[in-house]
Amino acid sequence: MRITFLGTGGGRFATISQRRMTGGFRIDDFNGKNYHIDPGPGALVRSYQFGVDPKRLDGIFVSHAHTDHYTDSEVLIESMTRGMTKENGIIMGSRSVFEGFKEWGPCISSYHKSNSENLILGPNKSKVLDNMTIKGTKTVHGDPTCVGFQMEHDDFRLSYTADTKYFDKLAHYHKNANILIASVIRPGSKSIKGHMCSDKFAELIEEVKPDLAIMTHFGLKMLNANPILEAKNVLSRTGVKTIAAFDGMSLDINMNDPAKSKFISLKDNVARSFRNAETVDSGNVINKRENSDKLISYTRDFYGR
């Protein structure tokens, strides 16, 4: 199995500034199937940039009806169905994405839903797909129908929190996860309504006890604080290998020992984009750069843990 992050930015200001990309992430070869998770703005372009084929998709998951999660869903559905000429794949996600709920959604047209299986997920609602089980997990978020998931195959479980605040029973929905991927929008204890901060993610890790924890979906305050340092703090507190995803990060997952999963080297053109990119905060150019040397250092640090 391989996980590729096509964007690690989240929240409205990180999205409109594109200080981090917002294409969501891909899970490839989970029980032989490929899934795109939360395809926000740029998901199609970033798929090609980072070497994953949007035509080779078996499913698309959209957690809720906020633009940083659903914007590219229809074009990816077209890719999955060969331009809507073939019936293929499954579209999964929240009620708001499919039907609309109050002021949220719908996000996918009836036309785009017509050539794929549709699955509306809610807390603990599950479905078996080709020997893989997917279960909806509860969130507490601005879109009240927002849903995360846990995928299971051969006693291996991958969980995704989606956007949610920490709440008392959150760990219950993600128990026994081997890999826990979470939207962690703010650093330290700086929580914001409907979202998790890194301190609360550490609490969740202590309860779930995954083999590997991955932070993504960073807002501007998290980026200013440095997600890598936040991940190291979480690791120190929990003892669980925790990494902060970066745009283009790809991991070959060791299914027997996820903590020993391997980074795949960035392509040269991707490394150049990190080296040359200037980051923007509220219209002001920030001189701090996220360059390839820092990323290489980070991957070495991960290997050595």
Side-chain angles (χ1 to χ4, degrees):
M1 180 173 67
R2 179 175 294 183
I3 303 174
T4 304
F5 287 84
L6 307 172
T8 55
R12 66 196 69 181
F13 297 111
T15 300
I16 62 179
S17 70
Q18 285 295 290
R19 182 166 167 188
R20 286 283 184 100
M21 301 170 187
T22 48
F25 62 97
R26 276 270 298 243
I27 301 170
D28 283 280
D29 195 24
F30 191 92
N31 188 31
K33 303 291 185 180
N34 306 329
Y35 301 94
H36 197 125
I37 313 302
D38 277 347
L44 179 70
V45 172
R46 303 308 178 191
S47 295
Y48 286 114
Q49 178 179 352
F50 295 120
V52 292
D53 188 348
K55 298 184 296 297
R56 297 188 61 193
L57 278 174
D58 300 286
I60 295 166
F61 176 89
V62 185
S63 62
H64 64 292
H66 286 164
T67 52
D68 51 339
H69 295 261
Y70 76 77
T71 302
D72 270 18
S73 55
E74 289 183 335
V75 71
L76 283 176
I77 291 167
E78 291 196 12
S79 186
M80 182 170 69
T81 59
R82 300 297 191 272
M84 296 297 291
T85 64
K86 297 186 180 299
E87 293 185 1
N88 186 51
I90 184 169
I91 308 163
M92 304 172 283
S94 70
R95 176 181 170 188
S96 59
V97 167
F98 285 94
E99 299 176 350
F101 181 80
K102 296 183 178 179
E103 63 262 45
W104 296 277
C107 306
I108 301 173
S109 70
S110 297
Y111 170 71
H112 287 96
K113 290 186 287 189
S114 63
N115 276 13
S116 302
E117 183 179 354
N118 295 184
L119 176 61
I120 298 175
L121 285 171
N124 288 327
K125 180 177 179 179
S126 62
K127 185 176 177 65
V128 177
L129 306 168
D130 298 317
N131 297 317
M132 184 271 285
T133 300
I134 183 163
K135 176 191 74 175
T137 61
K138 183 179 177 179
T139 72
V140 176
H141 189 54
D143 175 347
T145 73
C146 177
V147 64
F149 68 76
Q150 185 173 85
M151 292 179 170
E152 179 184 356
H153 174 65
D154 283 348
D155 292 326
F156 186 93
R157 297 172 181 86
L158 184 151
S159 269
Y160 171 54
T161 66
D163 281 357
T164 182
K165 65 173 283 187
Y166 174 86
F167 57 94
D168 285 343
K169 293 188 178 180
L170 180 59
H172 167 77
Y173 293 95
H174 299 282
K175 64 182 179 181
N176 300 319
N178 300 96
I179 297 176
L180 179 62
I181 302 173
S183 295
V184 186
I185 203 164
R186 287 217 173 168
S189 60
K190 298 177 181 179
S191 59
I192 186 174
K193 184 178 180 180
H195 294 85
M196 212 174 335
C197 60
S198 52
D199 282 359
K200 289 298 183 181
F201 185 44
E203 287 187 37
L204 180 62
I205 291 171
E206 287 175 329
E207 294 175 282
V208 175
K209 296 180 174 59
D211 301 303
L212 174 64
I214 304 174
M215 300 163 50
T216 188
H217 204 64
F218 305 130
L220 294 181
K221 289 185 184 296
M222 173 67 91
L223 295 175
N224 289 336
N226 191 339
I228 292 173
L229 295 180
E230 292 296 308
K232 288 182 176 180
N233 289 338
V234 172
L235 166 64
S236 296
R237 173 174 166 177
T238 65
V240 172
K241 191 161 288 187
T242 303
I243 57 176
F246 53 82
D247 295 345
M249 184 183 90
S250 194
L251 287 171
D252 267 336
I253 301 299
N254 183 327
M255 305 289 279
N256 296 317
D257 188 352
K260 294 183 179 179
S261 299
K262 298 293 185 182
F263 278 95
I264 300 167
S265 297
L266 290 171
K267 295 181 179 179
D268 289 345
N269 63 325
V270 178
R272 280 197 299 272
S273 74
F274 277 104
R275 187 164 54 248
N276 297 329
E278 290 179 329
T279 57
V280 179
D281 182 9
S282 302
N284 297 316
V285 175
I286 297 174
N287 291 324
K288 181 171 63 178
R289 301 176 187 275
E290 296 174 289
N291 60 42
S292 58
D293 291 340
K294 289 181 180 178
L295 294 174
I296 291 168
S297 174
Y298 182 41
T299 58
R300 285 174 179 164
D301 181 54
F302 178 72
Y303 284 137
R305 292 179 191 168

